[in-house]
Amino acid sequence: GNNSSGDGCRGDCEKLEWCGDGIVDGGEPCDDGNGNPNDTCNACRSVVWTETIAIGGNASVDWAVEEDITTPNAIATDTAGNLYIVVPQHNRVVRIDATTQRRTVFAGRGTPGYSGDGGPAATAELDDPRGIAMDARGNCYISDHGNRRIRQVDRDGAISTFVTDRQVYPQGLAIDVDGNLYVADSRQHLVYIVRAGTRVLEKFAGTSGKRGFSGDSGQATLAQLDAPHDVAVDRSGNVYIADFANCRVRHVGPDGKIYTLAGGFGCREPGPTPRDGESATSAKLGWINSVDVDDGRNVYLADPTRDRVWHIDSRGTIEAAVTSSVVSAVFAVAIDRRTGDLIVGDIYRVY
């Protein structure tokens, strides 16, 4: 390390590529954020720091620190392990390379608007992007919330409009093993499905324009949701909905029937922080902004209200996978499909 030089840098910074120049060498300068003018990288602010930390028993995640990655709303990985981070404040999607850890703009030029179809995604305009999903062919789908569109970025980096509906405000996205796309709409209080090979939005869950909580044990298309923010789907076709303003997670089975998976008390009744090991249906949750599920049907929830990531196992038991000692106002969770690792985005960082 180089702490002995008296510049106040981290002792391991010379081992890392801090300045985004693609070079890792013994003299690599670093910036520890202390404003020391001898830290050469004080003028180089595009710093990505990755390391492995342990959470929730034997789970591990990688984290990336970026000055301009604040309050990421959604996260996804592709089959190569590259990380995609949706940053609504900057109207961009950022990509972090799995091998080099280099940050690049994947989609969005940074100004709100609608332009660029047919050209490179990095120079196109997005308006308040909210969600992201990757299909098995390497295509990326982005919820262009402010434009009321879903944009598609193909494997060559070209962007196009995949679905347009002026009544839809897309938010969280998910794709199942058959290539069907699920779309959460927080304003219409619905979840849609776009079946593989089509570009048509069909109602999957919720009652159009009617917010509320009802319908458990019945067909999901007759139930009520309240501002669903995200959606996830497992390999068996079970769909999980972050029913944000109901402080619940709803589950829709392959038979189309809906149930409450977690958060049986809703938002309007005060209650204690859930205890590890209790039933998820009796847990008092905060507003759930993000949800994902792994191949073992372990469900993970981002709860910014309680500064926690909740884990629900296949038996329906809840526990805190990540707590406020690690994260602050966690907004996004995602499972790395290649490794099974849990990725978490809070107001400041992606872990």
Side-chain angles (χ1 to χ4, degrees):
N2 65 356
N3 270 348
S4 60
S5 67
D7 66 357
C9 287
R10 288 174 52 89
D12 59 352
C13 78
E14 66 183 18
K15 305 171 189 174
L16 304 174
E17 196 280 286
W18 287 88
C19 285
D21 58 3
I23 301 171
V24 181
D25 56 40
E28 185 75 13
C30 77
D31 175 25
D32 59 0
N34 65 1
N36 187 332
N38 293 322
D39 294 353
T40 310
C41 279
N42 274 338
C44 176
R45 303 304 294 170
S46 293
V47 177
V48 176
W49 174 20
T50 65
E51 73 181 59
T52 299
I53 60 174
I55 60 169
N58 60 3
S60 66
V61 299
D62 287 333
W63 74 354
V65 179
E66 267 293 343
E67 263 208 353
D68 58 356
I69 296 176
T70 54
T71 318
N73 202 70
I75 305 166
T77 59
D78 61 23
T79 55
N82 301 303
L83 182 66
Y84 300 82
I85 305 169
V86 178
V87 189
Q89 293 91 330
H90 298 296
N91 301 292
R92 278 179 170 153
V93 177
V94 175
R95 178 183 184 273
I96 297 179
D97 188 273
T99 302
T100 66
Q101 308 300 331
R102 292 290 302 277
R103 176 189 64 86
T104 56
V105 173
F106 177 74
R109 61 192 292 179
T111 55
Y114 173 67
S115 69
D117 275 3
T123 59
E125 285 183 313
L126 306 173
D127 189 351
D128 192 18
R130 298 286 185 90
I132 189 167
M134 312 291 295
D135 71 17
R137 298 181 299 276
N139 298 303
C140 175
Y141 300 85
I142 301 168
S143 289
D144 196 357
H145 183 84
N147 284 318
R148 300 179 224 177
R149 290 172 166 89
I150 298 170
R151 313 287 286 276
Q152 181 190 67
V153 182
D154 66 20
R155 295 174 60 182
D156 296 322
I159 194 169
S160 60
T161 294
F162 182 70
V163 173
T164 301
D165 190 321
R166 302 305 292 172
Q167 302 301 314
V168 174
Y169 290 84
Q171 190 133 335
L173 301 176
I175 295 178
D176 67 18
V177 293
D178 296 321
N180 301 307
L181 176 67
Y182 299 83
V183 183
D185 182 341
S186 58
R187 292 203 186 186
Q188 293 295 326
H189 314 292
L190 292 171
V191 173
Y192 300 96
I193 183 171
V194 181
R195 300 189 186 278
T198 77
R199 299 194 176 198
V200 178
L201 290 159
E202 300 176 26
K203 188 172 73 168
F204 178 80
T207 305
S208 182
K210 295 181 180 179
R211 63 189 303 173
F213 172 73
S214 69
D216 272 4
S217 302
Q219 289 297 308
T221 52
L222 302 177
Q224 285 185 313
L225 308 172
D226 197 342
H229 274 206
D230 198 16
V231 61
V233 58
D234 67 23
R235 298 184 65 84
S236 299
N238 296 287
V239 176
Y240 305 87
I241 302 168
D243 197 357
F244 181 83
N246 279 321
C247 294
R248 288 175 166 95
V249 175
R250 313 288 286 277
H251 165 236
V252 181
D255 61 358
K257 291 186 176 181
I258 193 168
Y259 302 90
T260 293
L261 176 71
F265 289 98
C267 298
R268 294 168 182 82
E269 298 180 24
T273 299
R275 301 183 308 275
D276 286 358
E278 74 173 282
S279 171
T281 55
S282 63
K284 171 62 178 163
L285 303 177
W287 293 305
I288 303 301
N289 193 66
S290 178
V291 60
D292 207 355
V293 58
D294 68 15
D295 289 343
R297 292 186 65 180
N298 295 288
V299 180
Y300 295 90
L301 321 175
D303 186 343
T305 312
R306 297 193 182 273
D307 288 336
R308 280 169 171 78
V309 174
W310 299 107
H311 164 228
I312 303 170
D313 66 21
S314 58
R315 299 169 300 172
T317 299
I318 195 168
E319 65 176 352
V322 185
T323 68
S324 57
S325 64
V326 179
V327 295
S328 177
V330 57
F331 280 88
V333 292
I335 299 295
D336 186 332
R337 300 301 172 189
R338 185 184 59 158
T339 64
D341 289 344
L342 172 65
I343 304 169
V344 177
D346 73 5
I347 194 170
Y348 300 114
R349 298 175 175 88
V350 175
Y351 300 86

